[in-house]
Amino acid sequence: VILCLIYCYLSSSISDTILKGGKSAMKFEVVTRQPEELSRQLMQQLRHGVTVLQAEGMYSETPRFLLICVVNRHQVVRFQEILARFPDTFACVSSVNETWGNFKHVA
């Protein structure tokens, strides 16, 4: 029974890797009042670009910013550590099956 469970786990994880091509990632959408500082830390520490959009809170009617950043799965914990330094932020995360594009190295 244990060997069967191990076989099932390995076969499903290997087939997922083959089908997804190893290009899966996580997309974070972060609502914040401090877009410059948060974006700078994300770009410097994670080496990923950040897209910033203006937003407005409908409940409080205050101006906010929406940051969108796609990171590798192994960087999720580091992303959460950076977000913890900004107590007024709200983040939503979703899985990305594949990433495309001409990505530049962030200095």
Side-chain angles (χ1 to χ4, degrees):
V1 173
I2 293 174
L3 289 175
C4 182
L5 292 174
I6 292 171
Y7 171 77
C8 290
Y9 173 76
L10 288 175
S11 65
S12 66
S13 63
I14 290 171
S15 64
D16 282 347
T17 302
I18 291 170
L19 292 174
K20 292 180 181 178
K23 294 184 179 181
S24 63
M26 302 301 285
K27 177 177 78 168
F28 283 87
E29 295 175 290
V30 182
V31 178
T32 185
R33 293 184 201 168
Q34 303 168 341
E36 295 88 10
E37 178 64 26
L38 181 54
S39 297
R40 185 171 51 251
Q41 287 192 25
L42 291 172
M43 288 188 293
Q44 288 175 351
Q45 296 179 24
L46 297 179
R47 301 277 195 216
H48 287 282
V50 179
T51 301
V52 179
L53 303 171
Q54 290 185 349
E56 180 179 343
M58 292 302 293
Y59 180 75
S60 62
E61 296 181 357
T62 58
R64 308 278 176 151
F65 294 90
L66 176 67
L67 307 178
I68 302 171
C69 185
V70 178
V71 299
N72 301 326
R73 289 188 179 275
H74 67 274
Q75 293 176 313
V76 171
V77 173
R78 185 70 184 125
F79 197 101
Q80 291 172 330
E81 290 171 354
I82 294 170
L83 286 182
R85 298 180 201 149
F86 298 89
D88 67 334
T89 61
F90 169 78
C92 177
V93 63
S94 59
S95 179
V96 176
N97 291 330
E98 191 168 350
T99 55
W100 294 349
N102 185 16
F103 301 103
K104 305 289 185 198
H105 177 69
V106 178

